[in-house]
Amino acid sequence: MKEISHHRPQAGLPRRRLCLAVDMEQYSRLDTRTQSAVQSELVRMLDEAAALTGLDRAAWTRQPQGDLEFAVLPEATPEDAVLGPFVHHLAVRLGDRNARPATQRVRLRMAVDTGVVADAALGHAGPAPVAVARYVNAPQLRAVLATLTAADLAVMVSDRLYQDVVRSGRRDLDPSQYVRAHVRVKEFGGYGWIRVPGHVPDDVRSAVAEAPGPEPSPDAEAPSWTPPSQYVHQGAAVGRDVVGGLTIGVPVPPPTAGSGPAR
């Protein structure tokens, strides 16, 4: 009788995973001592938010980058738990911290997407890591924090997550609290959805409308995605763009290949 072999997946093979990036606003304006302190506090707040949500941060594949953390979460991670309770607990922890007297305020941008991810020599490769890197630097997300000065946290999720998870009636997720934003950065064009805990959608919508952005190219009528030929090193997206040019730089919103943003 022929024996059936069960092959384990090879390391580095693409898997569908949840990717997340959290970045600090105006970090470069801080002095060295304060930068070190807020880095530690960011890690602590992420740890606490994950623990309160029932997520195991020890199982996250993390790429710390000073003022930013990019992470690939385990395959079994419930996406609604990240978009709902985790975001809630992080917003509460951040608000409590910023309410302390004589404390340097910390404000965060967060981006989440799900998609193909593979281990690579310089980090991770695949559409989701690059998408998250671009989303977390989307001009609309920056504009929201610039306009809503009382906000401590602004979150952008990919259209894929919004359609598949947020709109599915999951617990702790209200689709009406999200505002759609068309993100176009160089070769990428796509949609993301922004939520700002503690702020009504109309305020977010007004802030998004004021965000600067490049005009769509004349021959690009619909959102497009970059071919998966990029990777991320130290938060910078590196790879070939649509016309074959080499691109190295800070990721900004959408699905393509590579991960984590940089300054």
Side-chain angles (χ1 to χ4, degrees), residues 143-192:
V144 164
L145 282 186
T147 303
L148 305 180
T149 56
D152 291 322
L153 173 66
V155 181
M156 178 178 281
V157 305
S158 66
D159 186 60
R160 173 173 29 235
L161 276 176
Y162 177 82
Q163 301 299 338
D164 293 349
V165 181
V166 176
R167 293 190 63 195
S168 65
R170 308 281 182 96
R171 180 180 50 122
D172 300 318
L173 296 176
D174 180 359
S176 69
Q177 295 300 305
Y178 292 77
V179 174
R180 189 173 74 160
H182 182 207
V183 179
R184 181 176 293 280
V185 180
K186 295 184 178 179
E187 74 283 356
F188 173 84
Y191 290 100

mmCIF file of all heavy atoms in Angstrom, residues 143-192:
data_model
loop_
_atom_site.group_PDB
_atom_site.id
_atom_site.type_symbol
_atom_site.label_atom_id
_atom_site.label_comp_id
_atom_site.label_asym_id
_atom_site.label_seq_id
_atom_site.Cartn_x
_atom_site.Cartn_y
_atom_site.Cartn_z
ATOM 1 N N ALA A 143 -4.016 64.019 7.155
ATOM 2 C CA ALA A 143 -4.887 65.196 7.199
ATOM 3 C C ALA A 143 -5.913 65.087 8.317
ATOM 4 O O ALA A 143 -6.278 66.091 8.939
ATOM 5 C CB ALA A 143 -5.592 65.367 5.853
ATOM 6 N N VAL A 144 -6.380 63.882 8.585
ATOM 7 C CA VAL A 144 -7.357 63.679 9.642
ATOM 8 C C VAL A 144 -6.773 64.079 10.993
ATOM 9 O O VAL A 144 -7.404 64.798 11.778
ATOM 10 C CB VAL A 144 -7.838 62.213 9.668
ATOM 11 C CG1 VAL A 144 -8.535 61.883 10.970
ATOM 12 C CG2 VAL A 144 -8.786 61.950 8.500
ATOM 13 N N LEU A 145 -5.551 63.647 11.280
ATOM 14 C CA LEU A 145 -4.932 64.018 12.551
ATOM 15 C C LEU A 145 -4.584 65.512 12.597
ATOM 16 O O LEU A 145 -4.643 66.138 13.651
ATOM 17 C CB LEU A 145 -3.688 63.179 12.809
ATOM 18 C CG LEU A 145 -3.912 61.743 13.303
ATOM 19 C CD1 LEU A 145 -2.584 61.094 13.664
ATOM 20 C CD2 LEU A 145 -4.848 61.692 14.494
ATOM 21 N N ALA A 146 -4.222 66.062 11.450
ATOM 22 C CA ALA A 146 -3.889 67.489 11.407
ATOM 23 C C ALA A 146 -5.129 68.350 11.658
ATOM 24 O O ALA A 146 -5.058 69.403 12.293
ATOM 25 C CB ALA A 146 -3.265 67.841 10.060
ATOM 26 N N THR A 147 -6.278 67.884 11.154
ATOM 27 C CA THR A 147 -7.518 68.653 11.283
ATOM 28 C C THR A 147 -8.214 68.410 12.618
ATOM 29 O O THR A 147 -8.671 69.339 13.280
ATOM 30 C CB THR A 147 -8.481 68.300 10.134
ATOM 31 O OG1 THR A 147 -7.828 68.552 8.880
ATOM 32 C CG2 THR A 147 -9.754 69.122 10.207
ATOM 33 N N LEU A 148 -8.310 67.142 13.010
ATOM 34 C CA LEU A 148 -8.980 66.783 14.260
ATOM 35 C C LEU A 148 -7.946 66.783 15.379
ATOM 36 O O LEU A 148 -7.411 65.738 15.767
ATOM 37 C CB LEU A 148 -9.661 65.421 14.136
ATOM 38 C CG LEU A 148 -10.655 65.274 12.969
ATOM 39 C CD1 LEU A 148 -11.266 63.888 12.958
ATOM 40 C CD2 LEU A 148 -11.738 66.341 13.058
ATOM 41 N N THR A 149 -7.644 67.949 15.880
ATOM 42 C CA THR A 149 -6.528 68.099 16.826
ATOM 43 C C THR A 149 -6.774 67.401 18.162
ATOM 44 O O THR A 149 -5.826 67.152 18.906
ATOM 45 C CB THR A 149 -6.239 69.589 17.067
ATOM 46 O OG1 THR A 149 -7.441 70.240 17.524
ATOM 47 C CG2 THR A 149 -5.777 70.263 15.782
ATOM 48 N N ALA A 150 -8.019 67.085 18.468
ATOM 49 C CA ALA A 150 -8.305 66.390 19.726
ATOM 50 C C ALA A 150 -8.129 64.879 19.591
ATOM 51 O O ALA A 150 -8.132 64.157 20.586
ATOM 52 C CB ALA A 150 -9.729 66.698 20.196
ATOM 53 N N ALA A 151 -7.971 64.391 18.369
ATOM 54 C CA ALA A 151 -7.858 62.945 18.138
ATOM 55 C C ALA A 151 -6.460 62.456 18.477
ATOM 56 O O ALA A 151 -5.466 63.107 18.163
ATOM 57 C CB ALA A 151 -8.187 62.611 16.689
ATOM 58 N N ASP A 152 -6.393 61.295 19.100
ATOM 59 C CA ASP A 152 -5.104 60.674 19.410
ATOM 60 C C ASP A 152 -4.764 59.539 18.453
ATOM 61 O O ASP A 152 -3.602 59.175 18.307
ATOM 62 C CB ASP A 152 -5.120 60.110 20.844
ATOM 63 C CG ASP A 152 -5.164 61.200 21.903
ATOM 64 O OD1 ASP A 152 -4.507 62.242 21.707
ATOM 65 O OD2 ASP A 152 -5.859 61.019 22.913
ATOM 66 N N LEU A 153 -5.795 58.967 17.802
ATOM 67 C CA LEU A 153 -5.594 57.789 16.962
ATOM 68 C C LEU A 153 -6.484 57.868 15.727
ATOM 69 O O LEU A 153 -7.677 58.166 15.829
ATOM 70 C CB LEU A 153 -5.932 56.520 17.752
ATOM 71 C CG LEU A 153 -5.933 55.188 16.993
ATOM 72 C CD1 LEU A 153 -4.517 54.831 16.526
ATOM 73 C CD2 LEU A 153 -6.499 54.074 17.882
ATOM 74 N N ALA A 154 -5.892 57.609 14.557
ATOM 75 C CA ALA A 154 -6.649 57.515 13.308
ATOM 76 C C ALA A 154 -6.284 56.196 12.643
ATOM 77 O O ALA A 154 -5.102 55.855 12.541
ATOM 78 C CB ALA A 154 -6.319 58.686 12.382
ATOM 79 N N VAL A 155 -7.293 55.457 12.212
ATOM 80 C CA VAL A 155 -7.087 54.102 11.685
ATOM 81 C C VAL A 155 -7.595 54.021 10.251
ATOM 82 O O VAL A 155 -8.704 54.484 9.947
ATOM 83 C CB VAL A 155 -7.844 53.063 12.544
ATOM 84 C CG1 VAL A 155 -7.607 51.657 12.012
ATOM 85 C CG2 VAL A 155 -7.423 53.169 14.006
ATOM 86 N N MET A 156 -6.789 53.434 9.374
ATOM 87 C CA MET A 156 -7.242 53.152 8.011
ATOM 88 C C MET A 156 -7.181 51.650 7.765
ATOM 89 O O MET A 156 -6.159 51.015 8.017
ATOM 90 C CB MET A 156 -6.393 53.876 6.958
ATOM 91 C CG MET A 156 -6.827 53.564 5.518
ATOM 92 S SD MET A 156 -5.878 54.454 4.243
ATOM 93 C CE MET A 156 -6.666 56.066 4.302
ATOM 94 N N VAL A 157 -8.292 51.091 7.292
ATOM 95 C CA VAL A 157 -8.323 49.677 6.916
ATOM 96 C C VAL A 157 -8.513 49.593 5.409
ATOM 97 O O VAL A 157 -9.086 50.486 4.790
ATOM 98 C CB VAL A 157 -9.441 48.907 7.644
ATOM 99 C CG1 VAL A 157 -9.323 49.081 9.150
ATOM 100 C CG2 VAL A 157 -10.822 49.349 7.179
ATOM 101 N N SER A 158 -8.026 48.527 4.839
ATOM 102 C CA SER A 158 -8.140 48.355 3.395
ATOM 103 C C SER A 158 -9.595 48.135 2.995
ATOM 104 O O SER A 158 -10.443 47.739 3.804
ATOM 105 C CB SER A 158 -7.309 47.151 2.947
ATOM 106 O OG SER A 158 -7.871 45.954 3.479
ATOM 107 N N ASP A 159 -9.894 48.391 1.733
ATOM 108 C CA ASP A 159 -11.246 48.152 1.238
ATOM 109 C C ASP A 159 -11.613 46.679 1.371
ATOM 110 O O ASP A 159 -12.765 46.337 1.657
ATOM 111 C CB ASP A 159 -11.333 48.581 -0.232
ATOM 112 C CG ASP A 159 -12.753 48.500 -0.772
ATOM 113 O OD1 ASP A 159 -13.633 49.196 -0.225
ATOM 114 O OD2 ASP A 159 -12.995 47.724 -1.709
ATOM 115 N N ARG A 160 -10.630 45.806 1.197
ATOM 116 C CA ARG A 160 -10.874 44.366 1.331
ATOM 117 C C ARG A 160 -11.369 44.018 2.735
ATOM 118 O O ARG A 160 -12.354 43.290 2.908
ATOM 119 C CB ARG A 160 -9.583 43.603 1.021
ATOM 120 C CG ARG A 160 -9.635 42.124 1.282
ATOM 121 C CD ARG A 160 -8.386 41.409 0.789
ATOM 122 N NE ARG A 160 -7.199 42.240 0.808
ATOM 123 C CZ ARG A 160 -6.429 42.462 -0.269
ATOM 124 N NH1 ARG A 160 -6.736 41.928 -1.421
ATOM 125 N NH2 ARG A 160 -5.348 43.207 -0.179
ATOM 126 N N LEU A 161 -10.698 44.565 3.761
ATOM 127 C CA LEU A 161 -11.123 44.301 5.132
ATOM 128 C C LEU A 161 -12.472 44.946 5.436
ATOM 129 O O LEU A 161 -13.298 44.376 6.153
ATOM 130 C CB LEU A 161 -10.077 44.821 6.119
ATOM 131 C CG LEU A 161 -8.893 43.893 6.404
ATOM 132 C CD1 LEU A 161 -7.900 44.584 7.325
ATOM 133 C CD2 LEU A 161 -9.362 42.587 7.020
ATOM 134 N N TYR A 162 -12.683 46.134 4.907
ATOM 135 C CA TYR A 162 -13.957 46.801 5.150
ATOM 136 C C TYR A 162 -15.112 45.976 4.576
ATOM 137 O O TYR A 162 -16.123 45.753 5.249
ATOM 138 C CB TYR A 162 -13.944 48.200 4.531
ATOM 139 C CG TYR A 162 -15.266 48.922 4.688
ATOM 140 C CD1 TYR A 162 -15.585 49.577 5.880
ATOM 141 C CD2 TYR A 162 -16.200 48.940 3.663
ATOM 142 C CE1 TYR A 162 -16.795 50.225 6.041
ATOM 143 C CE2 TYR A 162 -17.418 49.579 3.815
ATOM 144 C CZ TYR A 162 -17.713 50.224 5.005
ATOM 145 O OH TYR A 162 -18.929 50.853 5.157
ATOM 146 N N GLN A 163 -14.953 45.526 3.334
ATOM 147 C CA GLN A 163 -16.036 44.775 2.683
ATOM 148 C C GLN A 163 -16.233 43.407 3.329
ATOM 149 O O GLN A 163 -17.372 42.964 3.530
ATOM 150 C CB GLN A 163 -15.730 44.611 1.186
ATOM 151 C CG GLN A 163 -15.558 45.908 0.419
ATOM 152 C CD GLN A 163 -16.788 46.802 0.433
ATOM 153 O OE1 GLN A 163 -17.903 46.337 0.663
ATOM 154 N NE2 GLN A 163 -16.597 48.099 0.192
ATOM 155 N N ASP A 164 -15.144 42.723 3.643
ATOM 156 C CA ASP A 164 -15.241 41.345 4.132
ATOM 157 C C ASP A 164 -15.525 41.232 5.627
ATOM 158 O O ASP A 164 -16.144 40.260 6.068
ATOM 159 C CB ASP A 164 -13.941 40.580 3.829
ATOM 160 C CG ASP A 164 -13.726 40.362 2.343
ATOM 161 O OD1 ASP A 164 -14.660 40.617 1.566
ATOM 162 O OD2 ASP A 164 -12.612 39.940 1.969
ATOM 163 N N VAL A 165 -15.055 42.204 6.408
ATOM 164 C CA VAL A 165 -15.143 42.087 7.865
ATOM 165 C C VAL A 165 -16.062 43.147 8.474
ATOM 166 O O VAL A 165 -17.003 42.828 9.187
ATOM 167 C CB VAL A 165 -13.743 42.167 8.512
ATOM 168 C CG1 VAL A 165 -13.839 42.025 10.027
ATOM 169 C CG2 VAL A 165 -12.829 41.091 7.931
ATOM 170 N N VAL A 166 -15.781 44.422 8.177
ATOM 171 C CA VAL A 166 -16.546 45.501 8.813
ATOM 172 C C VAL A 166 -18.023 45.431 8.427
ATOM 173 O O VAL A 166 -18.907 45.572 9.275
ATOM 174 C CB VAL A 166 -15.961 46.873 8.437
ATOM 175 C CG1 VAL A 166 -16.816 48.001 9.025
ATOM 176 C CG2 VAL A 166 -14.525 46.995 8.933
ATOM 177 N N ARG A 167 -18.302 45.173 7.154
ATOM 178 C CA ARG A 167 -19.692 45.180 6.690
ATOM 179 C C ARG A 167 -20.425 43.870 6.951
ATOM 180 O O ARG A 167 -21.597 43.747 6.603
ATOM 181 C CB ARG A 167 -19.732 45.488 5.195
ATOM 182 C CG ARG A 167 -19.292 46.907 4.836
ATOM 183 C CD ARG A 167 -19.575 47.219 3.390
ATOM 184 N NE ARG A 167 -21.007 47.170 3.109
ATOM 185 C CZ ARG A 167 -21.525 47.124 1.880
ATOM 186 N NH1 ARG A 167 -20.717 47.098 0.837
ATOM 187 N NH2 ARG A 167 -22.824 47.088 1.709
ATOM 188 N N SER A 168 -19.753 42.911 7.537
ATOM 189 C CA SER A 168 -20.365 41.592 7.717
ATOM 190 C C SER A 168 -21.188 41.486 8.995
ATOM 191 O O SER A 168 -21.675 40.412 9.339
ATOM 192 C CB SER A 168 -19.285 40.509 7.719
ATOM 193 O OG SER A 168 -18.433 40.679 8.833
ATOM 194 N N GLY A 169 -21.336 42.584 9.732
ATOM 195 C CA GLY A 169 -22.138 42.559 10.943
ATOM 196 C C GLY A 169 -21.424 41.983 12.141
ATOM 197 O O GLY A 169 -22.053 41.526 13.093
ATOM 198 N N ARG A 170 -20.076 42.000 12.096
ATOM 199 C CA ARG A 170 -19.319 41.473 13.228
ATOM 200 C C ARG A 170 -19.495 42.350 14.459
ATOM 201 O O ARG A 170 -19.707 43.558 14.362
ATOM 202 C CB ARG A 170 -17.830 41.396 12.895
ATOM 203 C CG ARG A 170 -17.484 40.668 11.599
ATOM 204 C CD ARG A 170 -17.530 39.171 11.759
ATOM 205 N NE ARG A 170 -17.153 38.507 10.512
ATOM 206 C CZ ARG A 170 -15.930 38.079 10.247
ATOM 207 N NH1 ARG A 170 -14.972 38.252 11.123
ATOM 208 N NH2 ARG A 170 -15.675 37.484 9.105
ATOM 209 N N ARG A 171 -19.346 41.731 15.604
ATOM 210 C CA ARG A 171 -19.450 42.434 16.873
ATOM 211 C C ARG A 171 -18.411 43.555 16.978
ATOM 212 O O ARG A 171 -17.287 43.408 16.526
ATOM 213 C CB ARG A 171 -19.197 41.413 17.995
ATOM 214 C CG ARG A 171 -19.268 41.939 19.399
ATOM 215 C CD ARG A 171 -18.981 40.794 20.346
ATOM 216 N NE ARG A 171 -17.759 40.095 19.956
ATOM 217 C CZ ARG A 171 -16.719 39.946 20.755
ATOM 218 N NH1 ARG A 171 -16.761 40.420 21.980
ATOM 219 N NH2 ARG A 171 -15.658 39.296 20.349
ATOM 220 N N ASP A 172 -18.805 44.655 17.545
ATOM 221 C CA ASP A 172 -17.932 45.807 17.806
ATOM 222 C C ASP A 172 -17.517 46.566 16.550
ATOM 223 O O ASP A 172 -16.611 47.406 16.610
ATOM 224 C CB ASP A 172 -16.657 45.383 18.566
ATOM 225 C CG ASP A 172 -16.976 44.745 19.904
ATOM 226 O OD1 ASP A 172 -17.866 45.257 20.597
ATOM 227 O OD2 ASP A 172 -16.329 43.739 20.240
ATOM 228 N N LEU A 173 -18.143 46.263 15.409
ATOM 229 C CA LEU A 173 -17.776 46.965 14.182
ATOM 230 C C LEU A 173 -19.023 47.616 13.580
ATOM 231 O O LEU A 173 -20.016 46.943 13.315
ATOM 232 C CB LEU A 173 -17.153 46.000 13.167
ATOM 233 C CG LEU A 173 -15.832 45.353 13.581
ATOM 234 C CD1 LEU A 173 -15.382 44.349 12.532
ATOM 235 C CD2 LEU A 173 -14.755 46.409 13.804
ATOM 236 N N ASP A 174 -18.949 48.928 13.372
ATOM 237 C CA ASP A 174 -20.070 49.682 12.811
ATOM 238 C C ASP A 174 -19.627 50.309 11.497
ATOM 239 O O ASP A 174 -18.845 51.269 11.497
ATOM 240 C CB ASP A 174 -20.508 50.765 13.805
ATOM 241 C CG ASP A 174 -21.683 51.592 13.293
ATOM 242 O OD1 ASP A 174 -22.141 51.338 12.160
ATOM 243 O OD2 ASP A 174 -22.129 52.492 14.031
ATOM 244 N N PRO A 175 -20.106 49.801 10.372
ATOM 245 C CA PRO A 175 -19.674 50.330 9.066
ATOM 246 C C PRO A 175 -19.913 51.827 8.911
ATOM 247 O O PRO A 175 -19.160 52.506 8.197
ATOM 248 C CB PRO A 175 -20.523 49.534 8.070
ATOM 249 C CG PRO A 175 -20.924 48.297 8.795
ATOM 250 C CD PRO A 175 -21.049 48.686 10.235
ATOM 251 N N SER A 176 -20.928 52.361 9.576
ATOM 252 C CA SER A 176 -21.255 53.780 9.418
ATOM 253 C C SER A 176 -20.192 54.694 10.025
ATOM 254 O O SER A 176 -20.180 55.902 9.757
ATOM 255 C CB SER A 176 -22.613 54.086 10.042
ATOM 256 O OG SER A 176 -22.560 53.975 11.459
ATOM 257 N N GLN A 177 -19.289 54.131 10.846
ATOM 258 C CA GLN A 177 -18.250 54.941 11.484
ATOM 259 C C GLN A 177 -17.020 55.114 10.592
ATOM 260 O O GLN A 177 -16.082 55.829 10.965
ATOM 261 C CB GLN A 177 -17.825 54.306 12.810
ATOM 262 C CG GLN A 177 -18.934 54.290 13.859
ATOM 263 C CD GLN A 177 -19.418 55.696 14.187
ATOM 264 O OE1 GLN A 177 -18.631 56.569 14.552
ATOM 265 N NE2 GLN A 177 -20.722 55.917 14.045
ATOM 266 N N TYR A 178 -17.011 54.478 9.441
ATOM 267 C CA TYR A 178 -15.858 54.533 8.547
ATOM 268 C C TYR A 178 -16.134 55.474 7.374
ATOM 269 O O TYR A 178 -17.244 55.524 6.846
ATOM 270 C CB TYR A 178 -15.527 53.143 8.001
ATOM 271 C CG TYR A 178 -14.999 52.183 9.043
ATOM 272 C CD1 TYR A 178 -15.858 51.571 9.949
ATOM 273 C CD2 TYR A 178 -13.641 51.884 9.123
ATOM 274 C CE1 TYR A 178 -15.386 50.690 10.905
ATOM 275 C CE2 TYR A 178 -13.160 50.993 10.078
ATOM 276 C CZ TYR A 178 -14.040 50.409 10.965
ATOM 277 O OH TYR A 178 -13.576 49.536 11.907
ATOM 278 N N VAL A 179 -15.104 56.176 6.946
ATOM 279 C CA VAL A 179 -15.201 57.107 5.832
ATOM 280 C C VAL A 179 -14.245 56.660 4.726
ATOM 281 O O VAL A 179 -13.054 56.426 4.980
ATOM 282 C CB VAL A 179 -14.844 58.543 6.283
ATOM 283 C CG1 VAL A 179 -14.793 59.489 5.089
ATOM 284 C CG2 VAL A 179 -15.845 59.033 7.321
ATOM 285 N N ARG A 180 -14.765 56.536 3.523
ATOM 286 C CA ARG A 180 -13.938 56.051 2.416
ATOM 287 C C ARG A 180 -12.998 57.141 1.904
ATOM 288 O O ARG A 180 -13.360 58.310 1.837
ATOM 289 C CB ARG A 180 -14.821 55.566 1.266
ATOM 290 C CG ARG A 180 -14.027 54.839 0.185
ATOM 291 C CD ARG A 180 -14.933 54.217 -0.847
ATOM 292 N NE ARG A 180 -15.506 55.206 -1.732
ATOM 293 C CZ ARG A 180 -16.021 54.923 -2.936
ATOM 294 N NH1 ARG A 180 -16.038 53.668 -3.349
ATOM 295 N NH2 ARG A 180 -16.540 55.862 -3.668
ATOM 296 N N ALA A 181 -11.802 56.735 1.550
ATOM 297 C CA ALA A 181 -10.808 57.654 0.993
ATOM 298 C C ALA A 181 -10.152 56.993 -0.213
ATOM 299 O O ALA A 181 -9.747 55.833 -0.145
ATOM 300 C CB ALA A 181 -9.752 58.003 2.038
ATOM 301 N N HIS A 182 -10.072 57.739 -1.297
ATOM 302 C CA HIS A 182 -9.375 57.227 -2.482
ATOM 303 C C HIS A 182 -7.908 57.614 -2.381
ATOM 304 O O HIS A 182 -7.551 58.789 -2.431
ATOM 305 C CB HIS A 182 -9.981 57.811 -3.757
ATOM 306 C CG HIS A 182 -9.329 57.277 -5.001
ATOM 307 N ND1 HIS A 182 -9.278 57.981 -6.166
ATOM 308 C CD2 HIS A 182 -8.695 56.097 -5.238
ATOM 309 C CE1 HIS A 182 -8.643 57.265 -7.096
ATOM 310 N NE2 HIS A 182 -8.278 56.122 -6.549
ATOM 311 N N VAL A 183 -7.068 56.635 -2.224
ATOM 312 C CA VAL A 183 -5.639 56.859 -2.035
ATOM 313 C C VAL A 183 -4.910 56.602 -3.346
ATOM 314 O O VAL A 183 -5.037 55.532 -3.935
ATOM 315 C CB VAL A 183 -5.089 55.929 -0.940
ATOM 316 C CG1 VAL A 183 -3.592 56.139 -0.767
ATOM 317 C CG2 VAL A 183 -5.815 56.185 0.378
ATOM 318 N N ARG A 184 -4.170 57.590 -3.815
ATOM 319 C CA ARG A 184 -3.370 57.417 -5.020
ATOM 320 C C ARG A 184 -1.974 57.930 -4.745
ATOM 321 O O ARG A 184 -1.784 59.116 -4.499
ATOM 322 C CB ARG A 184 -3.984 58.159 -6.209
ATOM 323 C CG ARG A 184 -3.184 57.991 -7.498
ATOM 324 C CD ARG A 184 -3.864 58.649 -8.665
ATOM 325 N NE ARG A 184 -5.106 57.988 -9.009
ATOM 326 C CZ ARG A 184 -5.170 56.868 -9.738
ATOM 327 N NH1 ARG A 184 -4.070 56.300 -10.170
ATOM 328 N NH2 ARG A 184 -6.331 56.327 -10.021
ATOM 329 N N VAL A 185 -1.013 57.030 -4.756
ATOM 330 C CA VAL A 185 0.380 57.394 -4.521
ATOM 331 C C VAL A 185 1.231 56.719 -5.581
ATOM 332 O O VAL A 185 1.329 55.501 -5.625
ATOM 333 C CB VAL A 185 0.854 56.962 -3.120
ATOM 334 C CG1 VAL A 185 2.307 57.364 -2.901
ATOM 335 C CG2 VAL A 185 -0.027 57.590 -2.044
ATOM 336 N N LYS A 186 1.802 57.530 -6.465
ATOM 337 C CA LYS A 186 2.606 56.999 -7.563
ATOM 338 C C LYS A 186 1.828 55.932 -8.325
ATOM 339 O O LYS A 186 0.765 56.184 -8.850
ATOM 340 C CB LYS A 186 3.942 56.462 -7.039
ATOM 341 C CG LYS A 186 4.837 57.545 -6.461
ATOM 342 C CD LYS A 186 6.191 57.004 -6.050
ATOM 343 C CE LYS A 186 7.070 58.113 -5.519
ATOM 344 N NZ LYS A 186 8.381 57.600 -5.084
ATOM 345 N N GLU A 187 2.342 54.692 -8.347
ATOM 346 C CA GLU A 187 1.721 53.653 -9.161
ATOM 347 C C GLU A 187 0.501 53.024 -8.516
ATOM 348 O O GLU A 187 -0.196 52.248 -9.136
ATOM 349 C CB GLU A 187 2.749 52.549 -9.496
ATOM 350 C CG GLU A 187 3.098 51.629 -8.324
ATOM 351 C CD GLU A 187 4.048 52.234 -7.320
ATOM 352 O OE1 GLU A 187 4.509 53.362 -7.558
ATOM 353 O OE2 GLU A 187 4.334 51.569 -6.304
ATOM 354 N N PHE A 188 0.253 53.337 -7.260
ATOM 355 C CA PHE A 188 -0.872 52.714 -6.571
ATOM 356 C C PHE A 188 -2.105 53.599 -6.551
ATOM 357 O O PHE A 188 -2.029 54.794 -6.305
ATOM 358 C CB PHE A 188 -0.496 52.378 -5.130
ATOM 359 C CG PHE A 188 -1.670 51.897 -4.323
ATOM 360 C CD1 PHE A 188 -2.057 50.571 -4.367
ATOM 361 C CD2 PHE A 188 -2.411 52.779 -3.552
ATOM 362 C CE1 PHE A 188 -3.159 50.135 -3.649
ATOM 363 C CE2 PHE A 188 -3.507 52.346 -2.830
ATOM 364 C CZ PHE A 188 -3.882 51.024 -2.880
ATOM 365 N N GLY A 189 -3.245 52.975 -6.775
ATOM 366 C CA GLY A 189 -4.520 53.650 -6.606
ATOM 367 C C GLY A 189 -5.506 52.673 -5.998
ATOM 368 O O GLY A 189 -5.631 51.542 -6.473
ATOM 369 N N GLY A 190 -6.181 53.049 -4.953
ATOM 370 C CA GLY A 190 -7.133 52.151 -4.328
ATOM 371 C C GLY A 190 -7.898 52.871 -3.237
ATOM 372 O O GLY A 190 -7.712 54.064 -3.003
ATOM 373 N N TYR A 191 -8.769 52.149 -2.566
ATOM 374 C CA TYR A 191 -9.588 52.732 -1.520
ATOM 375 C C TYR A 191 -9.219 52.191 -0.148
ATOM 376 O O TYR A 191 -8.886 51.013 0.001
ATOM 377 C CB TYR A 191 -11.071 52.453 -1.782
ATOM 378 C CG TYR A 191 -11.608 53.209 -2.970
ATOM 379 C CD1 TYR A 191 -11.756 52.589 -4.214
ATOM 380 C CD2 TYR A 191 -11.943 54.555 -2.863
ATOM 381 C CE1 TYR A 191 -12.233 53.292 -5.307
ATOM 382 C CE2 TYR A 191 -12.418 55.267 -3.954
ATOM 383 C CZ TYR A 191 -12.562 54.629 -5.176
ATOM 384 O OH TYR A 191 -13.019 55.335 -6.257
ATOM 385 N N GLY A 192 -9.280 53.076 0.832
ATOM 386 C CA GLY A 192 -9.142 52.691 2.221
ATOM 387 C C GLY A 192 -10.295 53.316 2.984
ATOM 388 O O GLY A 192 -10.985 54.204 2.478
#
